[in-house]
Amino acid sequence: MRSRAVHIDWTGLGQVLGVSLVLGAGVVTLFSAGIAIADRGHRVVPAVSFLACAALVAYGICLVALH
């Protein structure tokens, strides 16, 4: 049985890690901003914020499911 060398694309792995961290923090920040603005009595901006969060999460789930 021959041993096969495993090649890991460290640059690609680093890019995935970076994008995951930035987008993960971005979604949390966007959701937190929506909550903070909702506490001030506004309704439209928090709704847009929450819909944007839901759209980003749905897009991520689609990427995982389809690839």
Side-chain angles (χ1 to χ4, degrees), residues 24-65:
V27 169
V28 170
T29 302
L30 188 62
F31 191 81
S32 299
I35 290 174
I37 294 170
D39 285 343
R40 296 181 187 162
H42 298 282
R43 295 194 185 270
V44 175
V45 175
V48 171
S49 175
F50 299 144
L51 286 173
C53 288
L56 287 171
V57 169
Y59 179 67
I61 291 171
C62 286
L63 284 178
V64 170

Side-chain angles (χ1 to χ4, degrees), residues 11-37:
T11 305
L13 185 61
Q15 288 175 346
V16 168
L17 177 66
V19 170
S20 299
L21 289 174
V22 169
L23 288 180
V27 169
V28 170
T29 302
L30 188 62
F31 191 81
S32 299
I35 290 174
I37 294 170

